[in-house]
Amino acid sequence: MSREGIQEEESWTISDLAQQLDVSTRTIRYYEELGLIFPSRTEKGSRHYKRKDRARLRLILRGKRFGFSLDQIREMIELFDEDRTGRAQLLRTIEYGNQKLAEIDEKIMELRQLREDILVYKQNFEQKLLEENEEEKR
Amino acid sequence: MSREGIQEEESWTISDLAQQLDVSTRTIRYYEELGLIFPSRTEKGSRHYKRKDRARLRLILRGKRFGFSLDQIREMIELFDEDRTGRAQLLRTIEYGNQKLAEIDEKIMELRQLREDILVYKQNFEQKLLEENEEEKR
DNA sequence: CATCAAGTTGACGTTTACGTAAACGGCAGT
DNA sequence: ACTGCCGTTTACGTAAACGTCAACTTGATG
């Protein structure tokens, strides 16, 4: 067990966390409402968030930035939740993970394509710019 | 000039296009409402879409899949619209393009990070699976 | 000619993802 | 004890992105 309990675990209030990750407190509470995150409470009822909670919130926000709905994210989180047990569950979760990885790889491909599209647009404009300069030389 | 007008340009109805790109006709009309796409009309008022329109719609949908709002996409489309002229405008557009490319590169980075996170989760579960097998051996 | 599918516009409804305000408690500083 | 500030819950508001339905044309087909 080594030094369990000796190292004080850092913990933040909701507004601390909100500031760190640049979201509103409302948003964080809303995510809790949806079952995406479960901070512990002080005896007075105030939420406090530890490193693990922050990591989870980061994951949520990252997911959001790529068009995953909060519902999809919850689905994901539920499956990845630590306390699942049994070989069947584990296998399912791993399979789900593989699936998500594949989806992400696909997104990366698509993003590269989008990049390519934009690059072509831009080059088109650069070409026009060149032509305009040519005109000027006459 | 070569063979202008000889090659018949293919054109689709709104439901054709909807089916091709797997969106509803309502969605397509909505995008038009927002000024994202401007199909030509038959003399009777029916929309018809050509290859360029389809490419544009593809771009819109692609953008959406990565969390760009329709407003951002419109902004983008307006700036990339062909009929801008003047060196200053061209320069601005090119600069905008560079900016968007940078944003996309950042998104790709983030997506890689998300991939990494999920991979770690998955490996965690794989580890658990191994431990369970160990237990069984006793 | 009747009818039926597919097009149009317009209006209203719905879901998601929060914002915002009200009403309250706890605590620190003066 | 009063003032702020931060926290809480509850509730209503709202913008974005469509879905859905009604009412109407138009074109094709039995």
Side-chain angles (χ1 to χ4, degrees), chain B:
Chain B
M1 298 298 156
S2 65
R3 317 204 221 146
E4 209 161 75
I6 291 198
Q7 183 79 5
E8 291 273 337
E9 229 205 305
E10 35 186 358
S11 173
W12 309 279
T13 82
I14 192 168
S15 44
D16 285 345
L17 192 63
Q19 190 176 357
Q20 284 182 36
L21 300 193
D22 194 38
V23 290
S24 72
T25 60
R26 172 66 174 103
T27 297
I28 299 180
R29 291 199 189 94
Y30 179 60
Y31 291 168
E32 182 175 348
E33 214 173 291
L34 294 189
L36 295 181
I37 190 172
F38 324 96
S40 26
R41 303 285 186 123
T42 70
E43 68 289 344
K44 280 321 292 173
S46 280
R47 285 161 246 247
H48 59 280
Y49 300 84
K50 314 212 293 188
R51 296 186 52 259
K52 204 162 184 177
D53 299 314
R54 188 175 60 176
R56 172 169 293 204
L57 184 50
R58 270 217 188 86
L59 185 66
I60 296 170
L61 295 174
R62 222 191 290 276
K64 267 209 47 190
R65 263 175 244 131
F66 297 103
F68 290 112
S69 77
L70 293 177
D71 227 54
Q72 287 176 290
I73 295 174
R74 185 172 48 79
E75 198 185 307
M76 204 165 121
I77 284 184
E78 275 170 12
L79 268 159
F80 280 135
D81 225 359
E82 299 276 329
D83 300 327
R84 301 166 66 70
T85 186
R87 197 204 318 271
Q89 298 285 349
L90 284 173
L91 285 173
R92 279 186 55 118
T93 303
I94 290 168
E95 191 37 52
Y96 182 79
N98 284 332
Q99 186 186 310
K100 282 296 158 192
L101 287 178
E103 277 178 39
I104 288 185
D105 287 341
E106 204 171 316
K107 285 214 177 215
I108 290 180
M109 301 282 279
E110 255 200 294
L111 213 38
R112 291 220 178 94
Q113 182 60 51
L114 181 59
R115 201 202 130 94
E116 196 56 34
D117 287 354
I118 289 182
L119 189 59
V120 169
Y121 272 112
K122 203 194 77 172
Q123 284 167 347
N124 183 13
F125 280 92
E126 283 168 347
Q127 183 58 34
K128 280 193 188 172
L129 192 61
L130 279 179
E131 285 163 14
E132 201 170 84
N133 282 345
E134 286 306 313
E135 231 166 272
E136 206 162 82
K137 280 187 194 158
R138 294 181 318 189

